[in-house]
């Protein structure tokens, strides 16, 4: 079990697009396990490799104990519904702050598993929000960029104040 340090906002690595995974090996499986351990310790329900400073397109989600963790390698949104929903979001890289973000209500993604096998998955609700949130991060789009400038500035000030006081 390896809990890795989490890259904190406003680290510029969070704004860089992640590279596709091209090698499916034990190192990738170890990265996925480290992501899961780090996410659980944070705590969080989703994490990407860039959150721990690794610029690869890997996401781990664990939305409930019954379904367990799911690893997505090179995920891409292939379809999104026109219906939109609002959902409260935050990040392990910016703990203690969150806000409502507008997202597509349903999405379809394609991705590889840890063995390189291709899959598609349709999701709605929280899982769809998480897919969009984490794929944004892989694309170098931090979640607060989805907020209005005013909301974003207020959140950043609140986060900076919390960081100074801790």
């Amino acid at each position: 079990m390896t809990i890795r340090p989490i890259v904190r906002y406003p680290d510029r690595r969070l704004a860089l697009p992640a590279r596709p995974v091209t090698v499916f090996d034990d190192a990738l499986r170890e990265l996925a396990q480290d992501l899961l351990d780090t996410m659980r310790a944070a705590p969080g329900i989703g994490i990407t490799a860039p959150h721990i400073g690794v610029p690869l397109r890997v996401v781990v989600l664990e939305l409930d104990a019954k379904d367990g963790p799911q690893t997505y390698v090179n995920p891409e949104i292939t379809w999104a519904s026109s219906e939109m929903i609002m959902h409260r979001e935050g990040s392990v890289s910016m703990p203690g702050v969150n806000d409502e973000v507008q997202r597509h209500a349903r999405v379809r993604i394609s991705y590889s598993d840890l063995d390189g096998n291709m899959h598609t998955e349709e999701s709605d609700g929280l899982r769809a929000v998480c897919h969009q949130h984490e794929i944004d991060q892989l694309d170098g789009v931090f979640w607060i960029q989805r907020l209005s400038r005013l909301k974003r500035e207020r959140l950043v000030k609140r986060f900076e104040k919390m960081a100074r006081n801790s």
Side-chain angles (χ1 to χ4, degrees), residues 21-95:
V21 171
T22 57
V23 178
F24 294 81
D25 60 3
D26 287 342
L28 178 62
R29 279 181 269 289
E30 185 178 315
L31 171 63
Q33 185 61 53
D34 289 356
L35 283 167
L36 179 61
D37 295 341
T38 303
M39 178 188 72
R40 285 175 171 166
I45 60 171
I47 194 168
T48 67
H51 282 120
I52 61 169
V54 178
L56 291 174
R57 296 187 71 82
V58 180
V59 172
V60 173
L61 294 180
E62 188 172 40
L63 304 184
D64 60 56
K66 178 178 63 85
D67 291 337
Q70 174 76 43
T71 301
Y72 301 89
V73 181
N74 300 328
E76 299 290 340
I77 295 172
T78 59
W79 172 84
S81 68
S82 56
E83 179 189 355
M84 305 297 281
I85 58 174
M86 295 295 286
H87 201 280
R88 188 159 289 279
E89 297 184 28
S91 174
V92 295
S93 289
M94 195 181 207

Side-chain angles (χ1 to χ4, degrees), residues 44-164:
I45 60 171
I47 194 168
T48 67
H51 282 120
I52 61 169
V54 178
L56 291 174
R57 296 187 71 82
V58 180
V59 172
V60 173
L61 294 180
E62 188 172 40
L63 304 184
D64 60 56
K66 178 178 63 85
D67 291 337
Q70 174 76 43
T71 301
Y72 301 89
V73 181
N74 300 328
E76 299 290 340
I77 295 172
T78 59
W79 172 84
S81 68
S82 56
E83 179 189 355
M84 305 297 281
I85 58 174
M86 295 295 286
H87 201 280
R88 188 159 289 279
E89 297 184 28
S91 174
V92 295
S93 289
M94 195 181 207
V97 296
N98 55 65
D99 208 331
E100 295 282 322
V101 178
Q102 186 175 32
R103 298 281 187 183
H104 296 279
R106 293 181 314 284
V107 295
R108 182 180 308 120
I109 65 168
S110 65
Y111 67 96
S112 296
D113 61 24
L114 290 169
D115 297 316
N117 301 310
M118 288 296 298
H119 299 272
T120 60
E121 180 178 326
E122 283 199 30
S123 58
D124 60 12
L126 177 60
R127 185 170 295 275
V129 167
C130 289
H131 284 153
Q132 293 167 83
H133 175 103
E134 304 302 355
I135 290 170
D136 267 359
Q137 184 60 65
L138 295 178
D139 293 338
V141 178
F142 197 66
W143 73 277
I144 62 173
Q145 291 173 257
R146 298 282 181 192
L147 302 172
S148 70
R149 190 172 66 96
L150 180 62
K151 278 186 166 187
R152 186 170 53 248
E153 288 172 356
R154 284 181 180 163
L155 268 179
V156 169
K157 282 183 180 157
R158 188 175 339 139
F159 179 66
E160 288 170 345
K161 183 178 179 183
M162 289 169 51
R164 279 194 309 270

